Amino acid sequence: MRGGGFRRILASQGTTALLVYLAISPVWSWPLVTDPLGVDVARHFDGAVTIWFSTASRVLPFAWRSPDSAWPFGEPLGHADSFLLWFVATALRWLSPAAPSAFCALLGPPLSAWAAERCAARAFGVPFPASLIAGLAYGYSSLATIALLEGHTYALLNPWLPLLTWAAARAFGLTRGERAPGDLRAAALVAAAWFACLLTSAYSGLCASLLLAALGTAGLLRRRAGTVATTAALTAGLGAAYTAVFVLAGPTAAPDTTGEVPTMGAAHLGNLVAWQPLDDLIHHSITPTLPMLAIALVALGGARLRGQPWVRPLLAGALVCLVASGGAVLTGIVTQHGIPWVFAPLYEIPTLRLIRFPIRLLPVTSLGFGLLAAAVAGTLTAPRARAVVIAAALLELVLVATPWRTGTRPVGAPGAFSAAPEGWAVVELTPLLPDSDVSYLLANRGCEWEAWHRRPVVQNCFSVRLGDPEAERVQTWLMDALFKAHDVHEDLVRLGIGAVVIEPDLFNRGDREALLEGARATLGAPTESKDLGVHMLVFPVPGAGGAPADRQAALAAWEDKWGS
Amino acid sequence: MPSGAQQIELQLIASPDSDLSSVTVHLTRLGEESDIPLTDDGATPGDTPFDGKYFAATEGPYAAIVRIALDVQTTHEAAPTRIYEGDIPLRDEASTFVAWRLISTRQGVVAMRTAADWPFAAPPLEDGNIYLIGFGWMIVACLLVLFAMDARAPRGERP
């Protein structure tokens, strides 16, 4: 019996769908699967901080402050973008610091795709294999590619949005298997899925809220006011708890009051239809290419879905998010002037300028069009539906081209860090660079290394910003002192800093020679390493070492030197 | 993890009628400095001679980030001019492409980083190639018109 049951599960369409998505994943994220704990395939600098957070979040939930960065102050962790990453990191703590990110990158898309496929099949009755289109359009969308290339791998593990759609459609009477009006359990399921989205990332929570608004409105029209109200009350309670954690963690980055309109994170008419290599070089891979095949299917065959109550709210949610993704200025390409768009009035409120990446609302569009397209394909004959599924997979591969766009960077900490005394902070001196992307990369890389060498770092890691006042204060003072060969080792010991790190290749020849000469004269001979692609010199500070540095004494020394 | 050598392909895209007499990259890679001349004589496999695209390739141990300075000299200049200097992260431990486009400004020529690391690289949209966008949105517009017509059609008219 048992063997028969197992064979039935293997032969089930749900299992087949999961296996298909699992088979796509290694190709999509290539070459991550070749060494998941040893390489990072992100092209941009946030991948390093994702790895750092996986380790730093180990102090949660007992402490809400990371002791490992912003030495000697530490950083509040209540502002985490993703608490989901903390759950994954906790489960994989016994593995490498790179494991949580790799797990999300390799298993996130297939699980998200599977959830969308199951939603299509079970909630909306889409037959297999047409239901596969929903998962391809959502789990392997261009937004997933952006998350992979930018290094926000936790955003890839988001099966919650399809599960929210499924639960809400049933709770609000929009599909078969619908629940009775006022069913508390159905409302609780919807709220739980919404909260899981919020824990995945703030943008994912925003997506879930917009989608829920569309589905809830449809629920109200179908006389499910009780269920909708119960859902709203539950989500409001969960949202309040989340906000409380955020607020109690302390002040966050001040809202932008410069009046400058954020445009880089918005979709424009160019990147919605095509990707170009320059986007990966200077535009942070902001390439939200739309699922054109899904849109075409919906446009050509949408009439076949007439009369199904879930279609209009899902289409409305998808279109609202598509329009909103244009941000404050709709342009043809990123550098052009454009026309004021939907976010223009919203950005008048400084707090709302924190929504700097309106493209991250597009998962609702991918999911909506994916589910609708799957339903249209489900009305075709089986051979035609199969052809459409294959075309969808190939188009995704060619138009978004994820495997051709990934980078390959070994992760770990350079060997020279072993010369830095344990329990003492390290400070890296980097040149002032005109290219802010490289500056961010250097700052974030230092945080990633911390996950391996386990010595606190002076720079901010959680909310990396250029011109970070505390870190910059130390770096500027120290750089100036070393250029002048002033002896500062006693000050460094008082500040709890046990090692000074310099990557000489980053400096031009003149600065390099002067800086290294000063450092050798002040701190002695460095330990050199050339591994992981990094040429590094670590200067242990004379007098540091032995017992770990005293954080309170370091704080007092800091205040003595620079004030509070 | 890095096991083999890393190849860096260097490219400067100038106009075919530019009168460059020399293009040289000064590379600092894992503490080693080297001068690499870029040529446009067809010596590099796949290079069309004298089309204004200068190439060179260099191989060495994997570097995650290199410092690169780019000097060019024209036939009527006595000494080379430095038109670019900076730290460049290399995204791939096996092979990577670093390219610049030569831009003439009122202050003289400057080099701007450009992408050339994809075999089928399309001309950058910033260059004014808006045909792709227009074509893509024309298709979307046609589909939306069809959708609207479909939605307005009376029930039962279509299968």
Side-chain angles (χ1 to χ4, degrees), chain A residues 181-533:
Chain A
D183 186 335
L184 181 64
R185 210 176 60 167
L189 267 177
V190 178
W194 175 84
F195 194 52
C197 285
L198 185 60
L199 293 181
T200 300
S201 77
Y203 279 104
S204 173
L206 201 54
C207 286
S209 303
L210 290 170
L211 185 59
L212 196 52
L215 296 169
T217 306
L220 288 175
L221 295 174
R222 292 182 70 81
R223 301 178 190 282
R224 298 298 172 112
T227 314
V228 173
T230 312
T231 307
L234 289 172
T235 51
L238 291 168
Y242 178 89
T243 310
V245 168
F246 200 83
V247 172
L248 289 174
T252 179
D256 181 8
T257 51
T258 58
E260 200 173 306
V261 175
T263 52
M264 194 191 73
H268 53 76
L269 295 175
N271 62 17
L272 282 173
V273 295
W275 157 79
Q276 54 158 342
L278 201 61
D279 292 325
D280 286 336
L281 189 70
I282 57 174
H283 296 150
H284 288 240
S285 298
I286 303 287
T287 48
T289 322
L290 288 173
M292 288 300 183
L293 186 72
I295 291 175
L297 274 172
V298 175
L300 295 171
R304 296 174 181 226
L305 306 179
R306 252 188 225 152
Q308 301 201 39
W310 59 273
V311 171
R312 283 192 175 179
L314 211 52
L315 187 61
L319 290 175
V320 164
C321 287
L322 173 59
V323 171
S325 72
V329 184
L330 186 69
T331 60
I333 55 175
V334 72
T335 53
Q336 282 183 337
H337 295 291
I339 55 171
W341 204 242
V342 289
F343 264 85
L346 299 180
Y347 280 160
E348 293 295 322
I349 303 164
T351 308
L352 291 182
R353 284 206 196 117
L354 291 173
I355 307 173
R356 286 174 301 160
F357 289 86
I359 59 154
R360 293 182 187 160
L361 299 177
L362 283 171
V364 178
T365 307
S366 302
L367 177 64
F369 277 108
L371 289 169
L372 291 163
V376 170
T379 65
L380 302 172
T381 57
R384 284 186 181 179
R386 267 198 298 276
V388 170
V389 170
I390 292 167
L394 288 176
L395 269 178
E396 156 67 25
L397 201 62
V398 172
L399 288 183
V400 184
T402 316
W404 285 279
R405 297 167 63 188
T406 50
T408 322
R409 186 179 61 84
V411 291
F417 275 109
S418 60
E422 289 187 24
W424 289 71
V426 295
V427 58
E428 180 170 5
L429 299 182
T430 53
L432 288 174
L433 299 168
D435 184 342
S436 64
D437 277 10
V438 179
S439 301
Y440 274 121
L441 176 75
L442 296 178
N444 289 7
R445 226 167 33 141
C447 297
E448 181 191 298
W449 291 333
E450 190 277 326
W452 271 269
H453 66 64
R454 309 298 305 130
R455 292 150 179 90
V457 292
V458 168
Q459 74 243 39
N460 237 314
C461 287
F462 192 65
S463 49
V464 175
R465 55 190 192 274
L466 297 184
D468 175 19
E470 285 85 18
E472 200 175 71
R473 209 173 264 179
V474 181
Q475 286 163 336
T476 309
W477 160 74
L478 185 55
M479 189 97 84
D480 187 50
L482 294 184
F483 271 127
K484 293 171 183 163
H486 289 170
D487 188 357
V488 286
H489 80 271
E490 285 180 1
D491 282 341
L492 287 170
V493 170
R494 271 195 291 274
L495 291 165
I497 295 171
V500 177
V501 175
I502 297 173
E503 288 180 70
D505 293 5
L506 302 179
F507 294 84
N508 66 40
R509 189 179 292 172
D511 288 348
R512 184 192 316 155
E513 285 169 2
L515 184 64
L516 293 183
E517 194 178 321
R520 284 195 179 94
T522 309
L523 303 170
T527 297
E528 183 178 28
S529 67
K530 292 181 182 180
D531 55 350
L532 299 172

Side-chain angles (χ1 to χ4, degrees), chain A residues 299-304 306, chain B residues 146 149-159:
Chain A
L300 295 171
R304 296 174 181 226
R306 252 188 225 152
Chain B
L146 281 171
M149 288 166 62
D150 231 10
R152 291 165 69 94
R155 278 168 190 262
E157 193 172 290
R158 299 180 70 85

Side-chain angles (χ1 to χ4, degrees), chain B residues 84-101:
Chain B
Y84 180 91
E85 182 164 18
D87 296 315
I88 296 181
L90 305 178
R91 305 294 183 193
D92 200 304
E93 64 176 332
S95 170
T96 196
F97 214 113
V98 179
W100 298 266
R101 190 175 291 275

Side-chain angles (χ1 to χ4, degrees), chain A residues 46-79:
Chain A
D46 284 339
V49 169
T50 301
I51 289 175
W52 172 82
F53 180 74
S54 303
T55 310
S57 66
R58 76 191 184 288
V59 297
L60 292 173
F62 307 107
W64 289 85
R65 204 166 184 84
S66 158
D68 302 326
S69 58
W71 172 267
F73 305 98
E75 278 182 282
L77 292 175
H79 298 154

Side-chain angles (χ1 to χ4, degrees), chain A residues 108-134:
Chain A
L111 291 176
S112 304
W114 192 44
E117 189 274 343
R118 287 291 83 197
C119 174
R122 302 292 293 275
F124 304 133
V126 178
F128 187 86
S131 57
L132 286 171
I133 292 173

